[in-house]
Amino acid sequence: MKKGLLLVLTSIMLLIIAACGTSGEGTGSDAEGENEGEASKTLRVVTDAAYAPFEYLEGDKVVGFDIDFINAVADEAGIDIKVENVGWDAVLIETEKGTSDLGVSAITINEERKKSYDFTVPYFLSTNKILVNKDSDIKSAKDLEGRVVAVQNATTGQVAIEKIVGENNPDVKKFENTNLAIMELLSGGAEAVVADNTVIEAYVENNPDKDLMVIEDPTNFEAEYYGIMFPKDSEYLEEFNTALKAILENGTYAKIYKEWFGSEPDVQILID
Ligand code: ARG
């Protein structure tokens, strides 16, 4: 009998505590705009995890600079995300259709893409470079004329080489991902790969036995900036923009950059 009463009293007290807790939390976080109380949605982030060091697989886990970066941005924004490796073509298609909430995949911001997508402010400076065998006589982008060149399909690397050798040139071999393009070079099916500098430089460094080198050509390959890509008119763009600017300014971005690249980033060129 006594036990029963105690149980009832404890339950009532717990209910009161729970009620206070909820109302307190509700006001607090609403003021911060974190939307607690509303069922908060987990946003679907798509990537092509064959682009080390930006995104790649470690076992079945997607890791890389971009992954740490997007988690920090989402954290800053108070938004839950889940990163899914879907492949490059699907990154582009799904984010255009809106079946993905956003794409993070070393994606270059350019005028053409801005017609179909929204982008945040830039978070990384990049340029295309040329990967060749160490004994190659290729010295510049112009030397790629008449040579078989491997690229990842629908990348700025493809656009850059086609500007030189012409669109639909059969000498440009297009692959689903950059690793396959590099395999083509290694197996002798192509004389060069055009892709983002950081990716091919990391490949050369991590595979010294492959006897490859990187050629730069700043006159033919322009500077590019990566952005987080959203479906047009996404309701999340502004929140991510604000959070991205915050981590650029509060040192979080620099910390992640240093972990991956071992040096200080030039945050100023991203902010200006
Ligand atoms: N930056 C280049 C572009 O936007 C290549 C990006 C490829 N990214 C990837 N994860 N495969 O076209």
Side-chain angles (χ1 to χ4, degrees):
M1 192 60 199
K2 244 187 166 182
K3 249 191 186 171
L5 191 63
L6 199 68
L7 201 72
V8 171
L9 281 176
T10 324
S11 312
I12 292 171
M13 269 175 63
L14 282 175
L15 277 173
I16 292 170
I17 291 168
C20 289
T22 330
S23 66
E25 229 177 79
T27 25
S29 26
D30 272 353
E32 283 160 33
E34 281 181 29
N35 287 332
E36 246 175 84
E38 280 173 41
S40 70
K41 183 184 163 197
T42 298
L43 302 192
R44 181 162 180 261
V45 180
V46 292
T47 196
D48 167 31
Y51 216 56
F54 294 105
E55 42 270 329
Y56 59 100
L57 291 175
E58 229 169 55
D60 53 12
K61 216 177 154 229
V62 185
V63 296
F65 169 80
D66 275 353
I67 310 307
D68 290 350
F69 162 74
I70 196 63
N71 277 315
V73 177
D75 220 46
E76 177 71 34
I79 294 173
D80 285 334
I81 59 164
K82 188 177 184 303
V83 178
E84 246 181 83
N85 175 29
V86 297
W88 182 243
D89 288 343
V91 167
L92 299 173
I93 294 166
E94 290 215 34
T95 309
E96 183 165 6
K97 283 197 308 204
T99 52
S100 116
D101 294 300
L102 55 145
V104 176
S105 209
I107 305 169
T108 300
I109 306 167
N110 62 29
E111 290 311 311
E112 190 55 34
R113 287 179 182 157
K114 277 194 203 161
K115 292 179 197 159
S116 317
Y117 306 94
D118 281 343
F119 287 93
T120 56
V121 292
Y123 73 88
F124 201 91
L125 173 63
S126 177
T127 187
N128 277 291
K129 286 190 183 176
I130 309 163
L131 180 66
V132 294
N133 288 310
K134 253 187 191 152
D135 58 7
S136 169
D137 59 351
I138 293 165
K139 297 270 175 293
S140 72
K142 293 279 180 222
D143 292 340
L144 295 174
E145 267 170 308
R147 315 286 186 114
V148 176
V149 180
V151 294
Q152 180 175 3
N153 187 48
T155 57
T156 56
Q158 181 192 338
V159 176
I161 179 64
E162 287 184 341
K163 242 190 208 160
I164 293 162
V165 303
E167 262 177 62
N168 302 319
N169 187 319
D171 284 343
V172 178
K173 285 193 185 173
K174 292 167 256 173
F175 294 87
E176 190 184 318
N177 68 54
T178 295
N179 293 339
L180 292 173
I182 296 174
M183 292 307 145
E184 190 69 4
L185 170 67
L186 294 175
S187 69
E191 277 194 71
V193 171
V194 175
D196 290 352
N197 63 316
T198 312
V199 171
I200 56 177
E201 278 156 5
Y203 188 86
V204 170
E205 206 181 303
N206 295 329
N207 299 274
D209 56 310
K210 301 283 196 293
D211 286 326
L212 299 171
M213 63 178 176
V214 174
I215 310 285
E216 58 180 12
D217 186 342
T219 30
N220 287 295
F221 296 153
E222 52 200 30
E224 301 182 7
Y225 289 94
Y226 299 161
I228 308 170
M229 188 171 80
F230 291 84
K232 265 246 165 283
D233 302 320
S234 164
E235 59 180 297
Y236 301 108
L237 176 66
E238 271 331 299
E239 278 170 272
F240 276 82
N241 249 335
T242 307
L244 167 45
K245 287 180 203 157
I247 70 156
L248 281 175
E249 270 155 24
N250 70 16
T252 303
Y253 174 90
K255 185 172 162 275
I256 297 169
Y257 185 101
K258 231 173 155 182
E259 277 164 16
W260 284 96
F261 304 110
S263 59
E264 285 294 334
D266 186 348
V267 172
Q268 212 46 49
I269 50 159
L270 296 172
I271 292 173
D272 292 340

